[in-house]
Amino acid sequence: MPNTFGKVFRITTWGESHGPALGAVVDGCPPNLPLEESDLQKELDRRRPGQSKIVTQRNEKDQVKILSGVYQGRTTGTPISLYISNGDHQPKAYDEMRQKFRPSHADFTYQTKYGHRNPEGGGRSSARETAARVAAAAIARKILASRGIEIRAYITRIHDISMPPLAHLPTLEEVEANPVRCPHPETAQKMEERILEVRKEGDSVGGLVLCRVQGLPVGLGDPVFDRLEADLAKAMLSLPATKGFAVGSGFDGTLLRGSEHNDPFHNQDGKIRTRTNHAGGVLGGISSGEELYFQVGFKPTATIIRSQATVDQDGHETELMGKGRHDPCVVPRAVPIVEAMTALVLLDHWMRHQAQCESFAFSQENE
Ligand SMILES: Cc1cc2nc3c(=O)[nH]c(=O)nc-3n(C[C@H](O)[C@H](O)[C@H](O)COP(=O)(O)O)c2cc1C
């Protein structure tokens, strides 16, 4: 099921960039959850294109419709079908790309694997598909929020400009205070200038997103193949343009000794905590109750408004001039998408944990 994600809380997405619409089917949602289109819309509005001058100027309203699974404002436990129409098409901008492969995009591999592809807007390889994920994940976010879980992603690096580490969890308002979504205003200003500079040159840049989750209980994640960090890594690397995932100390942790890297346990008012958190909130693939944090690296946007060497579908070497409306840096718009995928993984694992270890678990005291 290559278009389905999750085991208990499952989503299936469908649709292409320049098709009439795209959407998702959410299965496994608990019944009786109060749910309205506005719950989903507020997340979609954060992801939409055309929000500022540093993102693509494609103008999509991304208005979501709930077609099924909700009756009188509450979920019924049946599949929830979500529909978002596509409006702002510019298929002509992709004419040359019908024949020529964009360097570092998906045209070559789609064509070779399937022998037929939709080049308009990149078809299914377009990040438009992530609108469906964000809409579906807004349901997971609502459930997690009702359990006190806070998921917050923000940008820590654009190209070679990094923000200093932040001790507190920034508020949503701090993150959304600038179009870059970096909660350090002076750094955000420099990042914005860099993005505008490369846009003017017809070029692109990438960057890093940090995602932090507070309020998680101990116990989410399975020990072997479905470790929490393994499922998060898969979720993040399923996003277009991602090139890296690191949990906790990540690659920097390899520079430390065990005596420096280990997180000592202590008893804090009857609760077992760790004094440091190089682990990033997971031990043995299971959430430890400490803050969960990880980083996701996004590459520079593939489509640049410059002439580049490439080949056509017959293998002839040629040149391709990028056209269309593209994000000079995909990272600011990736922030709500990273949060969305995080919510999907966490809710799915929470429901799996409840089924195995709480709802059906045997108690030693009763035996
Ligand atoms: C939010 C977001 C926006 C994106 N916008 C563009 C874009 O405007 N132009 C483009 O060429 N790629 C864009 N991408 C990336 C492509 O979809 C991606 O590079 C392509 O599907 C190939 O996949 P890969 O880079 O993972 O190999 C975007 C990605 C994200 C996450």
Side-chain angles (χ1 to χ4, degrees):
M1 298 284 277
N3 294 289
T4 299
F5 186 81
K7 291 199 169 155
V8 177
F9 189 92
R10 311 186 96 191
I11 70 156
T12 301
T13 71
W14 53 269
E16 283 103 24
S17 172
H18 280 41
L22 49 82
V25 177
V26 179
D27 213 349
C29 180
N32 274 307
L33 170 76
L35 192 68
E36 292 177 7
E37 283 166 358
S38 58
D39 292 319
L40 282 51
Q41 197 59 52
K42 62 174 191 261
E43 292 303 326
L44 278 167
D45 288 347
R46 293 177 66 213
R47 196 218 68 98
R48 334 183 8 233
Q51 305 160 65
S52 73
K53 55 186 190 282
I54 61 165
V55 301
T56 172
Q57 295 306 300
R58 182 170 173 173
N59 184 15
E60 290 289 357
K61 299 225 163 15
D62 281 356
Q63 211 73 47
V64 66
K65 278 194 168 52
I66 300 177
L67 301 184
S68 67
V70 178
Y71 181 65
Q72 294 180 337
R74 285 179 184 267
T75 58
T76 56
T78 57
I80 303 171
S81 196
L82 307 175
Y83 179 97
I84 303 164
S85 65
N86 286 326
D88 191 8
H89 295 171
Q90 275 194 0
K92 280 219 156 306
Y94 297 88
D95 275 354
E96 220 184 338
M97 297 166 207
R98 289 175 199 279
Q99 294 302 324
K100 299 177 182 176
F101 299 137
R102 273 177 294 174
S104 291
H105 214 291
D107 311 333
F108 165 66
T109 46
Y110 274 43
Q111 182 64 37
T112 309
K113 181 176 168 77
Y114 299 111
H116 187 53
R117 73 191 155 96
N118 178 347
E120 294 171 10
R124 183 88 178 144
S125 73
S126 163
R128 242 199 99 58
E129 180 272 339
T130 61
R133 305 192 202 198
V134 169
I139 303 172
R141 289 197 80 156
K142 185 159 189 190
I143 298 171
L144 291 167
S146 73
R147 301 289 185 277
I149 311 301
E150 212 164 349
I151 302 172
R152 183 86 63 249
Y154 50 93
I155 287 183
T156 56
R157 193 164 87 202
I158 293 290
H159 203 200
D160 60 358
I161 303 168
S162 300
M163 66 170 264
L166 213 57
H168 73 283
L169 185 71
T171 61
L172 182 61
E173 290 67 37
E174 280 178 272
V175 176
E176 298 293 316
N178 58 71
V180 183
R181 297 198 163 110
C182 168
H184 190 264
E186 300 93 86
T187 315
Q189 182 63 37
K190 290 186 192 137
M191 290 171 168
E192 186 175 345
E193 282 160 16
R194 177 65 54 85
I195 296 172
L196 289 172
E197 189 184 304
V198 296
R199 156 165 259 168
K200 216 190 274 169
E201 293 166 6
D203 216 336
S204 63
V205 282
L208 274 181
V209 174
L210 172 67
C211 185
R212 297 168 59 181
V213 184
Q214 291 188 348
L216 279 183
V218 182
L220 309 192
D222 290 323
V224 185
F225 300 112
D226 294 349
R227 282 169 163 253
L228 189 61
E229 71 270 44
D231 281 351
L232 284 166
K234 174 162 184 171
M236 298 308 144
L237 296 177
S238 79
L239 294 173
T242 47
K243 282 291 167 218
F245 173 86
V247 63
S249 59
F251 294 105
D252 289 347
T254 62
L255 300 170
L256 301 179
R257 294 172 180 234
S259 53
E260 297 165 312
H261 190 266
N262 287 350
D263 299 314
F265 285 110
H266 70 122
N267 188 322
Q268 190 186 66
D269 307 322
K271 202 171 166 203
I272 296 175
R273 301 282 317 263
T274 60
R275 289 198 189 280
T276 52
N277 185 19
H278 293 115
V282 271
L283 291 170
I286 298 171
S287 61
S288 67
E290 298 297 328
E291 179 177 297
L292 173 73
Y293 69 95
F294 56 86
Q295 298 175 82
V296 191
F298 287 83
K299 72 182 192 184
T301 318
T303 313
I304 50 176
I305 312 306
R306 288 181 172 205
S307 183
Q308 294 183 87
T310 187
V311 296
D312 64 20
Q313 285 187 191
D314 300 318
H316 300 124
E317 292 189 5
T318 179
E319 295 270 317
L320 173 69
M321 182 70 199
K323 286 200 196 82
R325 298 155 298 176
H326 296 276
D327 290 280
C329 178
V330 307
V331 202
R333 289 182 58 222
V335 167
I337 311 174
V338 164
E339 292 180 351
M341 291 311 293
T342 306
L344 290 174
V345 172
L346 294 178
L347 181 62
D348 188 43
H349 268 287
W350 202 330
M351 291 175 78
R352 286 156 67 180
H353 171 67
Q354 291 239 313
Q356 185 192 12
C357 299
E358 293 180 11
S359 306
F360 278 93
F362 294 93
S363 157
Q364 289 182 11
E365 283 147 31
N366 297 338
E367 284 164 6

